Amino acid sequence: MSIAGDVFIVLGLAFMVITALGLVRLPDFFSRVHAVSKSETLGITLLLLGLILHEGATLLSLKFALILVFVAIANPVGAHLLTRAALRTGQMPWRKEERG
C-alpha cells in the first residue's frame, strides 16, 4: 500500500501545483475561483487518500477521512458562495475583447 499511497500523494501535490498556477495565471476572480475549487478539492482528496493508505487502519486514518469529507463539502460550497457574492456586488466576469 505504500507505493499506492506515494502515487496518490504525488498526484495530489501535482494538482495543488496546478491550483497555484491557475491562481496566478487566470485573468479574473471567477476563473480563479473555478480553477482553485476544482483542482484544489481533487488535490486535497488525493493527498488525504495517500495519507490514509500510508497510515493503514488507525484512528489517524479516520481523522483524515473526516477531513476529506469536510473538504469535499466545504470547498465547492465556499466557491459558490464567493462567486455569488461577487456577482451580487456587481463584479462582472472577464470577457476577451474582440478585435475589429
Side-chain angles (χ1 to χ4, degrees), residues 4 7 17 19-20 27 29 39 44 61 64 71-73 76 78 85 94 96:
V7 169
V17 168
T19 299
F29 174 76
S39 61
I44 291 173
S61 292
F64 285 148
V71 166
I73 293 170
W94 176 80
K96 185 176 181 178

Side-chain angles (χ1 to χ4, degrees), residues 24 53 63 68:
V24 172
L53 288 176
K63 291 176 184 179
L68 193 145

Side-chain angles (χ1 to χ4, degrees), residues 84-100:
R84 188 170 176 170
L87 278 173
R88 285 187 175 189
T89 58
Q91 186 170 359
M92 297 302 296
W94 176 80
R95 300 210 190 277
K96 185 176 181 178
E97 294 181 26
E98 295 181 23
R99 295 184 184 187

Side-chain angles (χ1 to χ4, degrees), residues 3 7 14 23-25 28 56 61 69 80 100:
I3 293 174
V7 169
L23 189 61
V24 172
R25 297 279 302 166
D28 72 331
S61 292
V69 169
H80 175 77

Side-chain angles (χ1 to χ4, degrees), residues 6 26 32 40 46-47 68 79 82 90-92 95 100:
D6 290 341
L26 291 173
R32 290 175 184 162
E40 182 185 31
L46 290 172
L47 188 65
L68 193 145
L82 283 172
Q91 186 170 359
M92 297 302 296
R95 300 210 190 277

Side-chain angles (χ1 to χ4, degrees), residues 58-81:
T58 64
L59 183 61
L60 187 58
S61 292
L62 178 64
K63 291 176 184 179
F64 285 148
L66 290 173
I67 292 170
L68 193 145
V69 169
F70 176 74
V71 166
I73 293 170
N75 267 359
V77 170
H80 175 77
L81 292 174

